[in-house]
Amino acid sequence: MESVWMKSSEIGKRDMLPGDMAAPVVIIGAGLAGILTAYYLKQEGIRAVVFEADRIGSGQTRNTTAKITSQHNLIYSRLIQTFGSRMAAHYAEANEAAIGEYERLVREKGIDCGFVRCPAYLYSNVGTALLRQEAEAAASLGIRASFETACELPFPVAGVTMFARQARFHPLKFLAKMAEEVEVYEQTKVLKVEDGKVETARGTVTAEHVVFASHYPFINVPGYYFARMYQARSYVVAFKGAARPEGMYLGIDGDGLSFRSCGDLLLLGGGSHRTGVHPTDKAGTGCRYDMLRNRAQDMYSGCSEVCQWSAQDCMTLDGLPYIGRFSRRRPNWYVATGFGKWGMTSSMVSARILTALITERNCQEADIFSPDRRFTARAAKELAVHGAYTVKGLAKHFLPAGKGRVIKNCPHMGCRLEWNPAEESYDCPCHGSRFDGEGRLIDGPAQTDCKRREKRAKE
Ligand code: FES
């Protein structure tokens, strides 16, 4: 299942790490967050080496819908209520600045990645109160936002919240160009990090600073990210022959969809659910691509499918990313994770904040993103839900694991894996690791394949 981005770009191969070395900064993960952080550090005269277990952009960067927005569903009203206007403004400013920074880089380097400014909309079919509230909250923080009633969608809506001057682009074309300026070693999986030593299968690197930008941190302690983050899957189908809106749209109702155009295609997204939790009814996970196909035919009769793909997102307890110091116990480790469904702007925000921290420059926006920020009531509620899934998954570990070749217990912390029929994978409901039908690792935080039963020789 290749995304439209994978089908239309190529990123040059890089060498593996040649052996032991020393570097001021090691960055783990060559997605947008890792590559941009290395780029900005280089601008500051600091050498940063990036280690990638697979290929540049082979993680979540290739599976996005590539909307570059400060509009992150309904968030600003909640942020003002929970953290106050000053910190909420930091979130808005950091994300608005991220859009501008993408534009600056694209222009300065002449990157041919289809970057275009366009409005982003939230829509609802059922009511306008939340949309009006969000528009007012965002506008009060300096975002050009307004409530409107007209939009380009092919069905009636109660209203929309419009954010002006957001953007869309081709993420892999952008990443390929930026990676050219960065020292990256591919096929170099990090096995262990201990203080200033980063151990890979290809050699050990001594570093003053270590950045974890590999989606879900694979180290459990310190940091305890496994206890405060889960993963969610969502689905995208690209169609030809459908109307292509100029703006980007996201529904805030339970069955809301995501719309954006890409050349002559419409990208229709939706069907989000916690990884490893698969409803078994006909409208459930097994049919989420079908749900998108059916909705597309209802709206744009006769359109034809070009490709389909899915995304895996890290979700935090309070809905904000964790960007900053990894843990108080490791002051020279840094983390960029928990981007939710907003990986484009969050990657840029991460790069700016982590560069400021490593170069010891002031960055006032860092407070709202800090992994150490205040624990909120919403986070407490989500922690209880997350804990319940984990307890259930761990309890199932002790039930019979079936007779198949793959032993369906997650190598991360032991939760029972669930079969995902839509994607023919074993998914973990606890923290979201995924494995193919043979038990081979697809997504972490697990670091190894599932255990397998040996085939019995025929007698
Ligand atoms: Fe943590 Fe499976 S991902 S137990």
Side-chain angles (χ1 to χ4, degrees):
M1 293 186 188
E2 282 196 334
S3 69
V4 70
W5 321 121
M6 294 160 75
K7 284 177 178 294
S8 55
S9 64
E10 210 164 307
I11 301 182
K13 270 194 177 173
R14 299 297 184 88
D15 291 339
M16 295 188 268
L17 181 70
D20 294 352
M21 65 161 70
V25 182
V26 162
I27 297 172
I28 305 168
L32 263 178
I35 293 293
L36 285 172
T37 305
Y39 170 79
Y40 286 114
L41 286 169
K42 191 175 170 188
Q43 301 308 298
E44 301 281 342
I46 296 172
R47 180 181 172 215
V49 297
V50 183
F51 294 153
E52 169 56 50
D54 192 356
R55 301 282 320 280
I56 294 169
S58 60
Q60 298 314 310
T61 305
R62 65 185 181 179
N63 293 329
T64 169
T65 50
K67 296 173 174 174
I68 309 175
T69 65
S70 61
Q71 184 185 73
H72 295 170
N73 210 323
L74 298 173
I75 188 169
Y76 290 106
S77 170
R78 176 169 61 81
L79 283 185
I80 292 171
Q81 280 169 18
T82 311
F83 291 99
S85 293
R86 192 181 62 84
M87 281 177 76
H90 289 167
Y91 189 89
E93 285 159 14
N95 281 288
E96 282 282 304
I99 305 170
E101 190 58 14
Y102 273 115
E103 185 169 38
R104 187 188 72 77
L105 288 171
V106 167
R107 291 232 169 104
E108 183 185 294
K109 296 175 185 305
I111 305 176
D112 180 14
C113 62
F115 180 95
V116 58
R117 289 274 196 170
C118 59
Y121 299 87
L122 298 173
Y123 73 87
S124 170
N125 303 106
V126 295
T128 62
L130 291 174
L131 295 169
R132 286 179 193 278
Q133 194 181 37
E134 183 68 3
E136 274 168 31
S140 77
L141 300 172
I143 293 173
R144 286 209 273 162
S146 56
F147 173 80
E148 297 180 1
T149 50
C151 76
E152 307 160 280
L153 293 174
F155 48 81
V157 298
V160 294
T161 297
M162 189 276 295
F163 280 29
R165 289 188 56 71
Q166 309 291 292
R168 59 179 190 259
F169 73 157
H170 189 308
L172 293 185
K173 286 186 179 174
F174 176 84
L175 182 68
K177 192 75 182 168
M178 295 306 298
E180 285 175 9
E181 301 194 33
V182 172
E183 185 177 351
V184 187
Y185 296 98
E186 292 185 328
Q187 307 291 344
T188 301
K189 183 171 177 166
V190 172
L191 305 173
K192 200 166 152 192
V193 183
E194 248 175 22
D195 298 323
K197 285 211 183 319
V198 179
E199 196 179 308
T200 79
R202 308 277 312 163
T204 298
V205 179
T206 311
E208 286 166 43
H209 305 274
V210 182
V211 175
F212 293 79
S214 54
H215 192 58
Y216 201 121
F218 60 89
I219 287 186
N220 292 335
V221 182
Y224 301 94
Y225 289 93
F226 68 88
R228 42 190 177 140
M229 222 162 48
Y230 66 94
Q231 298 195 69
R233 298 196 65 66
S234 53
Y235 303 84
V236 185
V237 182
F239 295 98
K240 223 174 197 162
R244 288 163 288 130
E246 174 54 23
M248 304 178 288
Y249 290 81
L250 179 68
I252 64 165
D253 307 326
D255 58 352
L257 299 174
S258 158
F259 299 75
R260 75 151 272 193
S261 63
C262 169
D264 61 350
L265 304 178
L266 171 75
L267 310 187
L268 187 65
S272 181
H273 64 92
R274 185 183 176 110
T275 303
V277 177
H278 305 297
T280 50
D281 63 351
K282 280 195 176 164
T285 296
C287 303
R288 292 212 176 178
Y289 288 120
D290 284 348
M291 178 275 287
L292 292 172
R293 288 179 192 116
N294 293 338
R295 295 288 296 272
Q297 289 306 327
D298 288 347
M299 293 184 283
Y300 312 103
S301 175
C303 64
S304 56
E305 182 178 333
V306 173
C307 59
Q308 62 177 49
W309 69 94
S310 57
Q312 166 106 330
D313 297 304
C314 289
M315 315 300 283
T316 64
L317 299 177
D318 61 8
L320 302 177
Y322 297 129
I323 303 168
R325 293 194 199 281
F326 193 94
S327 151
R328 285 185 196 173
R329 284 165 54 190
R330 297 284 186 281
N332 289 347
W333 289 10
Y334 310 84
V335 68
T337 189
F339 296 170
K341 298 181 185 305
W342 319 111
M344 301 297 97
T345 37
S346 297
S347 292
M348 182 63 83
V349 169
S350 300
R352 307 297 288 173
I353 290 176
L354 299 184
T355 301
L357 287 175
I358 290 169
T359 55
E360 297 180 3
R361 268 194 291 105
N362 182 36
C363 178
Q364 62 168 10
E365 290 97 11
D367 54 3
I368 186 87
F369 299 96
S370 168
D372 238 359
R373 64 181 168 262
R374 187 158 56 78
F375 193 67
T376 64
R378 171 184 158 134
K381 208 165 136 195
E382 285 294 315
L383 181 64
V385 175
H386 183 47
Y389 276 112
T390 307
V391 168
K392 194 169 156 195
L394 285 170
K396 281 188 174 180
H397 173 100
F398 299 102
L399 298 175
K403 290 190 176 142
R405 219 166 148 231
V406 176
I407 298 177
K408 295 181 285 181
N409 288 329
C410 181
H412 179 228
M413 293 177 82
C415 287
R416 176 59 49 86
L417 301 170
E418 302 288 341
W419 180 244
N420 173 350
E423 304 186 276
E424 301 192 343
S425 59
Y426 291 106
D427 298 354
C428 181
C430 289
H431 316 109
S433 292
R434 298 181 62 237
F435 308 85
D436 70 13
E438 293 296 312
R440 289 181 291 250
L441 181 66
I442 302 173
D443 287 313
Q447 287 293 287
T448 59
D449 297 342
C450 293
K451 285 190 180 148
R452 278 182 285 192
R453 297 181 178 91
E454 290 310 316
K455 272 185 187 159
R456 271 198 204 154
K458 281 191 181 158
E459 286 161 28

